[in-house]
Amino acid sequence: MPRRERNKFVKRGQILDLLIEDYAFGGKGIGRIRNEHGEFVVFVPNTLPGQLVKAQVKKSSKTYAECKLLEVIKASEDEVDVPYQQIPGAPYIKLPIEKQHAYKKQSTLELFKRIGKVSNIEDKFDEFVTSPNTFHYRNKMEYGFSAIGYNHELKTDVNEFTLGFKKRGTWWCGDNLNNDSGLFDKQVEDNLKLIRAYCQNTGLAPWHAPRKEGFFRYLVVRKSYKTNRLLFNLVTTSYDLPKFNLDAFAQYLVELFGDRVAGLLQTTNDEIGDRTIAITGSINLVYGEDKIVEELLGLNFEISMKSFFQTNPKSAEKLYSKVIDYALDDKSAIDDSVVMDLFCGTGTIGQILASRSNNTKIVGVDIVASAIEDAKENAKRNGIEGLKFYAADVGKFLNEHPEYNNKIKTIILDPARAGIAPKTLKKIINLNADRLVYVSCNPATQARDTEQLMQSGYTIKKFSLVDQFPHTAHIETVFLFEKA
């Protein structure tokens, strides 16, 4: 077996100081190492051109390396001061929003040229849809407890009761959120340090990630923009639960936030994995209600703690409006017909489409049973008829319902980040629909699927980009494909 050639530029684990020179899709800053061996490309996520950063090599090949960002040593000249505590979830909050949009558009178009093989992608571009709220746009936030904190002055880990987010680049170290991050609810985040002090004063321990032990794990908060109310979920282990007065904690939240508190839930999670809701855990209502109501485009949706719902509802209205516009681009293909809404989640798109068309039957399919139950309840609440929702794997559903072959003119696709499995995409293509409206939260997998759709006779009529998550690298895409 030939010996693997040693990389002449970097080695795994090496810490580098890099000037970021360019930007690639997904928020990957591009740095370059130049020496007597030539030039070598290094990708560092969550960085910007003009920044000087400290990064650690995670993996490398002969032609490039991928790094983990450890620290921004010097800001880019494009960055400006903002009155918010910076957090890992908003790496570009200091970059003016117009420049964020430019980076997102340019890198996404390049992605579809490279992966989707769409050479004329610029000709198909319709619109860049901006978020109505640049700041405080999120309706859900998960704050983690940790027994290990970070001292920014000493630049080292310390034993400390923390409540906030993971320090960038670590899985074991928390970083306190002491005031508004600019992403969620200002009143909640300005008071988070008081909630932390309340929990610390109980004497019960926060989660210690390396030891896999502790009591306090997460505080999850959902917010309704329609009612301005808050739903809290305290996630703990079960071991010391009798020692913690949940009723008193609920009253403390009411003291802080008044009648904005819709309810408090307590979730038990004894699993060692790093997630809020455990498969084997329980969730109990402590105070108030277990759901809040949100409105999208005139329709009401009940949201529980487990429900999937768009994180930026005001931008989601714009996203869904674009999807509906594309679906109704040929209204004759919608009225008096059956539309398939695949990977439908809680059925939001299908309900809106049904409410804006004539005698349209919607068939919604999603593998998440609880989402389908929410979809059925929401349709009933909104008085929308002509909807059928199925809890099933999309590929298996299409196998079991061949009666829809050649009967569907329009399909709406809104898959998860992983995109559409190749076998499932072939089954969707075999339905032989005239048009596909394909929504994606991960353009990389959509670009991959685009190549297969084009090889199968579909062409791109138009597409738009929707900025659902300002200050991050994420961008949503909406494509309208038509049979050639």
Side-chain angles (χ1 to χ4, degrees):
M1 187 173 178
R3 187 177 176 184
R4 187 178 177 187
E5 185 179 341
R6 186 174 66 86
N7 191 303
K8 295 184 173 74
F9 294 92
V10 299
K11 60 183 179 181
R12 192 170 181 273
Q14 184 177 349
I15 294 177
L16 308 169
D17 285 357
L18 287 168
L19 176 66
I20 303 301
E21 301 176 9
D22 210 342
Y23 181 94
F25 177 79
K28 291 185 177 182
I30 302 173
R32 292 178 175 87
I33 297 173
R34 300 172 177 91
N35 61 23
E36 67 273 15
H37 302 294
E39 185 175 285
F40 186 73
V41 172
V42 178
F43 294 103
V44 187
N46 301 317
T47 59
L48 285 169
Q51 288 179 337
L52 181 64
V53 304
K54 190 179 292 292
Q56 186 175 35
V57 179
K58 301 308 290 181
K59 61 181 180 179
S60 66
S61 67
K62 289 183 181 180
T63 54
Y64 70 93
E66 294 189 13
C67 291
K68 176 173 71 174
L69 175 64
L70 299 178
E71 181 185 356
V72 176
I73 300 170
K74 184 181 177 184
S76 164
E77 290 183 357
D78 290 333
E79 294 180 87
V80 297
D81 289 333
V82 292
Y84 306 114
Q85 180 175 335
Q86 197 156 11
I87 62 172
Y92 306 122
I93 198 165
K94 292 185 176 181
L95 187 68
I97 196 69
E98 296 78 16
K99 290 186 180 292
Q100 294 183 38
H101 294 163
Y103 281 132
K104 288 182 178 184
K105 180 181 176 183
Q106 174 195 352
S107 62
T108 306
L109 294 182
E110 289 298 325
L111 182 82
F112 277 89
K113 285 182 183 177
R114 180 169 52 86
I115 298 178
K117 309 293 193 297
V118 189
S119 58
N120 64 335
I121 190 70
E122 290 92 348
D123 299 337
K124 308 295 183 181
F125 183 67
D126 175 15
E127 184 183 4
F128 192 106
V129 181
T130 62
S131 174
N133 301 329
T134 302
F135 298 100
H136 304 114
Y137 61 82
R138 290 184 62 95
N139 64 357
K140 181 184 178 184
M141 201 64 105
E142 296 180 357
Y143 306 102
F145 290 92
S146 175
I148 304 173
Y150 188 75
N151 187 308
H152 287 267
E153 292 181 3
L154 300 176
K155 295 193 174 183
T156 185
D157 301 359
V158 291
N159 292 325
E160 181 181 52
F161 191 114
T162 67
L163 177 59
F165 302 102
K166 292 277 197 312
K167 183 187 175 295
R168 187 189 299 284
T170 70
W171 58 270
W172 67 90
C173 183
D175 200 1
N176 277 324
L177 184 70
N178 292 312
N179 54 276
D180 182 12
S181 71
L183 293 193
F184 185 52
D185 184 272
K186 175 176 170 56
Q187 187 187 16
V188 169
E189 296 199 327
D190 282 343
N191 282 283
L192 201 67
K193 55 183 174 289
L194 299 179
I195 296 173
R196 180 178 78 233
Y198 180 98
C199 294
Q200 185 173 5
N201 287 338
T202 65
L204 298 171
W207 184 250
H208 194 294
R211 295 177 188 163
K212 310 296 184 190
E213 64 184 25
F215 175 69
F216 295 107
R217 297 198 68 171
Y218 297 96
L219 180 68
V220 185
V221 192
R222 298 199 87 144
K223 171 183 177 178
S224 164
Y225 280 86
K226 176 183 174 69
T227 64
N228 198 34
R229 303 195 78 196
L230 303 167
L231 183 62
F232 293 85
N233 182 21
L234 181 68
V235 183
T236 71
T237 55
S238 63
Y239 313 118
D240 288 323
L241 192 55
K243 299 177 184 176
F244 184 73
N245 190 329
L246 285 164
D247 293 328
F249 182 62
Q251 290 308 310
Y252 183 68
L253 293 177
V254 172
E255 286 177 29
L256 290 178
F257 306 110
D259 58 9
R260 291 192 70 199
V261 180
L264 169 66
L265 297 137
Q266 186 274 323
T267 295
T268 298
N269 181 357
D270 290 332
E271 295 178 4
I272 60 173
D274 190 18
R275 59 184 170 195
T276 54
I277 306 294
I279 296 173
T280 57
S282 62
I283 183 164
N284 301 296
L285 180 63
V286 177
Y287 170 86
E289 304 159 12
D290 63 352
K291 294 179 181 177
I292 50 176
V293 176
E294 190 57 275
E295 182 180 284
L296 281 181
L297 297 173
L299 301 180
N300 289 321
F301 298 89
E302 268 195 359
I303 310 166
S304 69
M305 209 32 100
K306 287 186 176 181
S307 299
F308 169 78
F309 198 75
Q310 290 286 349
T311 308
N312 181 348
K314 296 300 179 185
S315 184
E317 288 190 318
K318 287 193 166 190
L319 173 69
Y320 291 146
S321 293
K322 182 60 67 175
V323 174
I324 300 304
D325 285 348
Y326 282 10
L328 295 176
D329 188 66
D330 179 3
K331 197 166 185 293
S332 64
I334 298 294
D335 290 344
D336 302 306
S337 71
V338 177
V339 174
M340 296 205 85
D341 184 7
L342 303 180
F343 315 99
C344 69
T346 54
T348 311
I349 293 172
Q351 290 181 59
I352 297 169
L353 183 60
S355 71
R356 299 194 178 187
S357 53
N358 299 316
N359 196 33
T360 301
K361 307 297 181 190
I362 307 289
V363 177
V365 185
D366 198 281
I367 197 169
V368 181
S370 61
I372 291 298
E373 288 306 310
D374 284 344
K376 291 176 180 177
E377 285 299 316
N378 287 327
K380 192 184 300 181
R381 181 179 304 103
N382 290 310
I384 300 173
E385 298 180 349
L387 296 152
K388 286 187 177 179
F389 291 110
Y390 297 90
D393 172 80
V394 168
K396 288 181 180 177
F397 177 85
L398 296 178
N399 270 349
E400 294 165 3
H401 293 270
E403 69 269 19
Y404 289 118
N405 287 355
N406 298 306
K407 299 284 179 64
I408 305 295
K409 292 182 179 179
T410 303
I411 300 174
I412 296 168
L413 304 166
D414 189 5
R417 288 191 62 77
I420 304 172
K423 287 183 179 178
T424 301
L425 185 58
K426 284 182 182 177
K427 292 170 187 172
I428 292 168
I429 290 167
N430 289 339
L431 288 171
N432 202 31
D434 294 337
R435 303 177 314 138
L436 307 174
V437 183
Y438 188 162
V439 191
S440 176
C441 60
N442 186 359
T445 54
Q446 189 184 40
R448 175 202 68 200
D449 296 342
T450 294
E451 183 181 18
Q452 187 173 345
L453 287 168
M454 292 175 68
Q455 289 172 353
S456 302
Y458 285 94
T459 60
I460 301 168
K461 183 172 183 182
K462 55 186 174 180
F463 78 99
S464 290
L465 304 182
V466 183
D467 189 19
Q468 289 260 77
F469 300 101
H471 320 307
T472 77
H474 297 295
I475 189 75
E476 304 246 348
T477 47
V478 184
F479 273 68
L480 175 58
F481 292 94
E482 291 186 336
K483 261 291 170 72

